[in-house]
Amino acid sequence: MTFLLHNTASGGKEEFEPLEPGHVRLYTCGPTVWNFAHIGNFRTFLFYDLLRRHLRFSGYRLTHVVNITDIEDRIISHATERGVSIREYAGPYEEAFLEDLATIRFQGVEVMPRATEHVPEMVAMVEKLLAKGNAYQADADVYYRVSSFPRYGELAHLDRAGLKAGARVAADDYDKEDVVDFALWKGEQPGEAAVGAVWEAPFGRGRPGWHIECSAMSLKYLGPTFDIHAGGIDLLFPHHQNEVAQSEAANEAPLARVWLHSEHLADATGAKMSKRLGNVATLRDLLDAGHDPVAIRFFLLASAHYRQKLRLDETGIRAAAEQVRRLRDFAARVDRSQPAPADDPFLVQELEDARHHYRAALDDDLNLPQAVGYLFDAVREANAGLDQGRAGPAALAAMRVLLDDADQHLDVLKEEDRSLEAEVERLIAEREAARAARDFARADAIREELKARGISLEDTKEGVRWRPA
RNA sequence: GGCGACGUAGCCAAGUGGCAAGGCAGAGGUCUGCAAAACCUCCACCGGCGGUUCGAUUCCGCCCGUCGCCUCCA
């Protein structure tokens, strides 16, 4: 079974094969913890989540690195305002970020290094680049000499002539040789020592530029060449392009073999979501608005392919919630179903086909929306089979396997614990007594009351079932 | 100005050179004390104009529209 991934570097889908058989080395750009992450950030993280889950699903062992950027202009400036160190300032946002990830069931990664804890590695790389002539000092700063790296622009499919003609070539107040050169090291500025943002280096006291951290940390944890590097599309240029320039010049080896970039989550009007435009929503905002974290997960993960723009849309989240509900209902039904005496071979075949199609869709550049289409097809057929007593032992087993496969990516079936169980059961019993007495007014009143408390009831031949509405 | 993406039913969305998945919403049924759930049925000719082709939503060109990137934003 071949696994195809769309490689930004080549612009097409390629068969994936890790350097080391059975083991995938993966680097995905992490958050700058200067504030609460917005929901668009989490779309990207759920893309990482899908990628790593499918790699594991495919049997690979993973070493997945996600960096925490805790040295950065905005962090320094806010920390200065508050009179705290950058670690003290960033710590709570880092914690909030990890909490939010857990809320949307992001699977934990193997390594989460902080920039502040890897400055010596960055210094070493800058020294190497200086020694090789790929970098130069200009006063207290060190810049990368883009002209020393002929392949600059290849990854992002930009040529240097185009860059120079770019509309955003800002007036530059640094002593750079070339406007496209970027900072590897920024000399100490007044006030930076007070917030713990200054480090010693042979080329002068200061702090690392942004791009160098990823180059240094990926080298440390994954080696000079690793399998997959991923990030949001906005990181393609200049961030990833600069990483390539730094790492490949320093290590004299290709950085990543496959580059993956996910599209943005747009706001409701279709515009890019960014703090600067003020059109952001955080996960916490959506939760406060009453959305279920699992519905948010499903919405971000499964409603559009990762390379497709997606709009944040409340109707869409509600639709996702309904889909999750349908899957959970079906899973619960499969769990409690007794096998019919005989299997309908057509049903069994359909379920097995669905499982193969599901996997094939994911193997085709992580096409989860398509995979989910097959899944719901199968759910409908399976429900019909259960309705009609055509689901024997083989069909039930096939249903369980399909759900298990799907939930390895979706991770929406498991519900949070139900502490109110006893109370609900008591009210259900009371309502059953009322129904037996044909006191339907009372029975409906209880049902309404539970509904108001977020519990919905279903009367079935096998008895009453309830679930969170 | 340069590079690129997208435009499929009320909404979201997958997809293919040969009669367009799936979900949500909606309508009508079966079942039910009534509901709910489930199932059944119904609901698109794929932005516009040309071209290539036996045949295009799918390939090419142009146009219209939306969006992104072009130095630190997931």
Side-chain angles (χ1 to χ4, degrees), chain A residues 46 78 121 171-172 176 184 188 193 230 244 246 291 298 329 354 434:
Chain A
L46 286 177
H78 285 107
E121 287 86 346
D172 216 300
K176 292 195 282 189
L184 296 172
E188 177 178 0
V244 168
Q246 295 165 341
H291 294 295
F298 193 96
D329 275 7

Side-chain angles (χ1 to χ4, degrees), chain A residues 46-240:
Chain A
L46 286 177
F47 155 63
Y48 302 160
D49 188 59
L50 174 62
L51 173 63
R52 63 169 286 128
R53 284 169 183 269
H54 191 58
L55 287 167
R56 289 184 63 177
F57 183 83
S58 304
Y60 293 111
R61 186 165 73 81
L62 293 184
T63 303
H64 180 181
V65 180
V66 177
N67 61 291
I68 301 282
T69 298
D70 55 359
I71 308 173
E72 192 254 359
D73 291 0
R74 291 167 297 187
I75 294 174
I76 292 171
S77 119
H78 285 107
T80 303
E81 280 171 27
R82 281 197 207 164
V84 297
S85 73
I86 55 173
R87 260 323 301 167
E88 286 168 329
Y89 174 80
Y93 291 115
E94 180 184 317
E95 257 175 62
F97 184 76
L98 296 176
E99 274 175 32
D100 286 354
L101 285 183
T103 300
I104 53 172
R105 303 187 178 187
F106 177 86
Q107 204 173 58
V109 305
E110 284 69 32
V111 191
M112 260 198 180
R114 295 189 185 99
T116 45
E117 292 164 6
H118 293 79
V119 175
E121 287 86 346
M122 300 182 217
V123 167
M125 187 171 272
V126 173
E127 278 196 275
K128 201 167 193 179
L129 290 168
L130 280 166
K132 284 171 168 274
N134 297 102
Y136 59 90
Q137 263 189 287
D139 298 325
D141 303 323
V142 178
Y143 291 100
Y144 187 90
R145 181 177 283 127
V146 167
S147 64
S148 73
F149 191 76
R151 294 193 303 282
Y152 193 85
E154 256 181 35
L155 175 67
H157 306 288
L158 293 169
D159 61 66
R160 294 202 45 211
L163 291 179
K164 287 191 179 180
R168 280 213 298 180
V169 172
D172 216 300
D173 49 349
Y174 300 111
D175 292 321
K176 292 195 282 189
E177 290 177 2
D178 190 326
V179 288
V180 297
D181 292 349
F182 56 91
L184 296 172
W185 191 260
K186 301 180 179 183
E188 177 178 0
Q189 297 293 313
E192 289 184 345
V195 297
V198 175
W199 287 263
E200 298 291 342
F203 34 81
R205 289 162 58 85
R207 63 179 173 101
W210 175 40
H211 312 294
I212 195 71
E213 67 173 80
C214 288
S215 285
M217 297 195 286
S218 66
L219 176 65
K220 176 169 182 177
Y221 295 104
L222 300 172
T225 301
F226 51 93
D227 297 299
I228 301 174
H229 193 135
I233 184 65
D234 55 337
L235 295 185
L236 171 57
F237 192 89
H239 183 57
H240 288 160

